[in-house]
């Protein structure tokens, strides 16, 4: 057993005192939920696969009387009560509007610029919750904060780009969008239908290369600031 595993799932004397306040059948589930929140920032549920090694290690610390099957009902009224009592025991605060605003600001400033995947940002958000000892009652709450932060970041980023365009670049951009098939348009005078039955892979490659070449020649004309990309 490595040190990381024991640090993650090890129970302190205070933890054991708290867990032993529950009936024998509930203790393993309570121990799992306590350590899961303490390490990951959120509670486990029936969709999370809990390894046998974890259950055995927790059970050994509780006296080794593990039931044959782990049948803790994560959705029961008792389980919800256990979660609230664990939150109180660990000193977590329930996520408020103020916390959501702080989290969204932190994500925008620190992570949205280089992390785009929603799932990855959600994991990062839970680390913030863990550090601040903030409990989010639902994953959907965290996901909404993440998606809102991404939208605001994208909006601010695009506004920053537009603010650095020269008037000449703006005119060229608008022309390219209004007349995409013109000589200065985004499609560079060539219309491609990728969905026809006769459209071959070779033709698709040739047309893609054609567009890339012409677009590469077009964009320098917009005279965009190098600061946008570095």
């Amino acid at each position: 057993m490595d040190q990381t595993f024991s640090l993650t799932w090890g129970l302190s004397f205070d933890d054991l005192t708290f867990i032993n306040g529950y009936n024998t059948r509930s203790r393993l589930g309570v121990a799992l939920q306590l350590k899961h929140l303490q390490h990951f920032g959120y509670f486990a549920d029936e969709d999370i696969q809990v390894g046998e090694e974890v259950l055995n290690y927790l059970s050994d610390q509780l006296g080794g009387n593990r039931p044959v099957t782990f049948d803790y009902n994560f959705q029961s009224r008792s389980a919800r009560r256990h979660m609230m009592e664990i939150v109180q025991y660990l000193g977590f605060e329930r996520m408020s509007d103020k916390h959501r605003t702080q989290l969204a600001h932190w994500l925008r400033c620190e992570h949205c610029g280089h992390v785009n995947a929603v799932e990855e940002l959600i994991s990062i958000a839970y680390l913030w919750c863990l550090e601040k000892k903030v409990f989010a009652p639902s994953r959907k709450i965290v996901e909404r904060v993440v998606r809102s932060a991404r939208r605001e970041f994208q909006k601010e980023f695009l506004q920053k780009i537009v603010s650095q365009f020269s008037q000449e670049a703006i005119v060229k951009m608008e022309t390219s969008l209004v007349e995409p098939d013109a000589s200065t348009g985004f499609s560079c005078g060539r219309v491609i239908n990728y969905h026809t039955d006769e459209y071959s892979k070779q033709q698709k490659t040739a047309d893609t290369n054609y567009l890339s070449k012409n677009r590469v020649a077009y964009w320098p004309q917009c005279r965009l600031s190098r600061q946008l990309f570095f």
Side-chain angles (χ1 to χ4, degrees), residues 194-208:
Y194 290 111
H195 302 291
T196 58
D197 293 336
E198 299 81 8
Y199 197 77
S200 67
K201 290 184 179 179
Q202 288 182 336
Q203 187 62 38
K204 180 177 180 179
T205 300
D207 284 337
T208 301

Side-chain angles (χ1 to χ4, degrees), residues 85-136:
E85 290 167 349
I86 291 169
V87 166
Q88 185 176 9
Y89 165 71
L90 292 177
F92 276 63
E93 292 183 78
R94 190 181 181 91
M95 180 174 278
S96 64
D97 290 341
K98 180 180 178 181
H99 292 132
R100 285 192 282 270
T101 300
Q102 292 173 341
L103 173 57
H105 177 76
W106 180 74
L107 289 171
R108 269 199 326 273
C109 296
E110 301 294 334
H111 295 284
C112 287
H114 56 273
V115 178
N116 190 51
V118 171
E119 290 300 320
E120 188 173 353
L121 284 171
I122 289 174
S123 297
I124 292 170
Y126 273 121
L127 293 178
W128 181 91
C129 291
L130 186 61
E131 180 183 352
K132 303 296 183 181
K133 301 195 79 170
V134 171
F135 168 64

Side-chain angles (χ1 to χ4, degrees), residues 8-9 28-51 54-55 58 70 72-76 78-84 86-87 90 126 135-139:
T8 302
W9 300 107
L28 183 56
V30 172
L32 172 65
Q33 292 291 52
L34 190 158
K35 299 308 296 184
H36 206 281
L37 176 62
Q38 198 173 47
H39 184 71
F40 298 105
Y42 57 93
F43 287 114
D45 58 32
E46 67 274 7
D47 295 326
I48 295 176
Q49 298 296 320
V50 181
V54 171
L55 295 176
L58 290 172
F70 180 63
Y72 187 77
N73 186 350
F74 292 96
Q75 299 300 321
S76 69
S78 295
R80 290 194 293 271
R81 187 184 73 252
H82 297 163
M83 288 190 289
M84 293 304 98
I86 291 169
V87 166
L90 292 177
Y126 273 121
F135 168 64
S138 166
R139 186 181 186 280

Side-chain angles (χ1 to χ4, degrees), residues 145-192:
V145 173
V146 164
R147 291 188 181 278
S148 175
R150 287 174 78 242
R151 284 194 301 270
E152 287 302 312
F153 172 82
Q154 291 165 357
K155 180 180 178 182
E156 292 172 3
F157 180 69
L158 292 174
Q159 288 174 339
K160 181 179 178 182
I161 291 176
V162 171
S163 70
Q164 295 189 45
F165 278 0
S166 66
Q167 188 59 39
E168 180 184 3
I170 292 174
V171 171
K172 288 181 179 293
M173 289 284 289
E174 289 178 344
T175 301
S176 74
L177 295 172
V178 173
E179 302 178 35
D181 299 325
S183 60
T184 58
F186 193 70
S187 292
C188 303
R190 188 163 184 172
V191 178
I192 296 177

